[in-house]
């Protein structure tokens, strides 16, 4: 005899109610992070740990960005010694390769960043940021739609999410910065340069900053805006850039 304790309609109601509760709460966020790669996930985690309402929007089904495949699908990543404290914070294990280079498992790293960020921040997958909202020379929010709408070329209007600060963590695409540049002409992107791991790694952390009122950059987007070298499958710079952008936003929003 089958009991009636599990009900299909209750399952549907629970999903719809809880999802829209989360979405509604995110429509006026303190910080919105665009992109769920390493820099975005780390930023979301540290910002929410500091007590800010952080919403992260990722257009793909899975978060993790470029972590999963390591280098050329060899799913190990290198992290330099300067960034080990971020790995420790996320409880990611690593092996020493030499004094400066440490190796972590790409799947463990992606899983840990997603897990810890999801415990604190509001994470959304399948949401594509398609435009920026600007008022009086400042970014005030983002224009978003479900990814399948863009993929299937459906003529469906987007909705908007307000934010006091936006982080462009869309990696090589630098999507938000490119869109702002196109729509306002007020931001110039120099474009990512050749491979030079040391310069790239140092540069992405050093140049992590506010590039337009209300718009911050983290991760590879920093390289795209400031014309810095690429660095390949070493991830310390991404982690430290995510942590730094959280600190910059904290000091700005605290004022
Ligand atoms: O590319 P990605 O991992 O960015 P990151 O944090 O890290 C870069 C490294 O993975 C690697 C590297 C390290 O040496 O060079 O490439 O800078 O993650 C960016 C995420 O942003 C999403 C995209 O799907 C990816 O998961 N994204 C891009 N455009 C949009 C977006 C958009 N318009 N809306 C929402 N998400």
């Amino acid at each position: 005899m089958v009991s009636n304790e599990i009900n299909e309609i209750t399952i549907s109601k629970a999903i719809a109610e809880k999802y829209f509760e989360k979405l509604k709460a995110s429509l006026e966020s303190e910080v919105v992070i665009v992109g769920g790669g390493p820099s975005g996930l780390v930023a979301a985690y540290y910002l929410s740990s500091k007590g800010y309402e952080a919403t992260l929007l990722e257009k793909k089904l899975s978060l993790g960005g470029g972590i999963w495949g390591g280098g050329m699908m060899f799913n190990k990543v290198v992290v330099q010694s300067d960034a080990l404290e971020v790995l420790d914070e996320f409880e990611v294990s690593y092996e020493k390769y030499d004094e400066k280079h440490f190796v972590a498992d790409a799947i463990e790293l992606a899983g840990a960043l997603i897990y810890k960020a999801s415990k604190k921040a509001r994470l959304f997958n399948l949401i594509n940021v398609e435009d920026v909202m600007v008022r009086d020379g400042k970014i005030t929010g983002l224009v978003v739609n479900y990814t399948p709408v863009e993929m299937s070329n459906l003529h469906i209007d987007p909705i908007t999410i307000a934010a006091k600060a936006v982080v462009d963590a869309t990696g090589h695409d630098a999507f938000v910065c490119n869109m702002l540049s196109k729509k306002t002409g007020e931001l110039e992107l120099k474009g990512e340069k050749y491979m030079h791991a040391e310069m790239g790694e140092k540069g992405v952390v050093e140049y992590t900053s506010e590039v337009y009122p209300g718009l911050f950059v983290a991760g590879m987007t920093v390289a795209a805006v400031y014309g810095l070298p690429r660095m390949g499958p070493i991830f310390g710079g991404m982690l430290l850039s995510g942590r730094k952008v959280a600190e910059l936003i904290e000091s700005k929003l605290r004022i």
Side-chain angles (χ1 to χ4, degrees), residues 14-178:
I15 290 172
E17 268 174 45
K18 291 295 156 191
Y19 181 82
F20 285 101
E21 217 173 77
K22 180 165 108 164
L23 182 63
K24 201 173 156 203
S26 301
L27 293 180
E28 286 169 298
S29 292
E30 282 183 299
V31 188
V32 175
I33 297 133
V34 188
S39 64
L41 287 165
V42 169
Y45 169 82
Y46 280 108
L47 278 160
S48 3
S49 304
K50 292 170 194 293
Y52 292 95
E53 283 193 317
T55 299
L56 184 149
L57 309 173
E58 166 57 51
K59 70 178 180 181
K60 294 200 173 142
L61 178 59
S62 306
L63 284 77
I67 302 173
W68 299 102
M72 209 177 96
M73 300 208 284
F74 311 152
N75 63 5
K76 295 282 177 189
V77 297
V78 171
V79 174
Q80 62 275 48
S81 48
D82 313 358
L84 293 182
E85 54 191 48
V86 183
L87 291 185
D88 292 336
E89 176 70 23
F90 282 89
E91 296 174 66
V92 176
S93 43
Y94 47 85
E95 280 176 69
K96 185 174 174 177
Y97 192 72
D98 66 19
E99 285 311 312
K100 192 70 195 171
H101 303 82
F102 293 76
V103 182
D105 185 83
I107 294 175
E108 183 185 347
L109 177 62
L113 298 187
I114 295 166
Y115 177 71
K116 286 233 171 180
S118 73
K119 289 283 183 193
K120 292 171 182 274
R122 292 190 205 105
L123 308 186
F124 290 90
N125 55 350
L126 296 171
I127 294 191
N128 180 51
V129 171
E130 60 167 59
D131 208 341
V132 290
M133 206 158 63
V134 177
R135 290 268 189 296
D136 305 323
K138 181 183 184 307
I139 284 228
T140 54
L142 295 159
V143 181
V144 305
N145 215 327
Y146 278 120
T147 301
V149 169
E150 190 210 8
M151 289 167 75
S152 45
N153 212 9
L154 293 172
H155 189 170
I156 296 176
D157 265 330
I159 61 167
T160 42
I161 297 188
K164 291 182 185 152
V166 169
V167 180
D168 186 345
T170 59
H172 303 267
D173 296 352
F175 180 83
V176 183
C177 292
N178 271 306

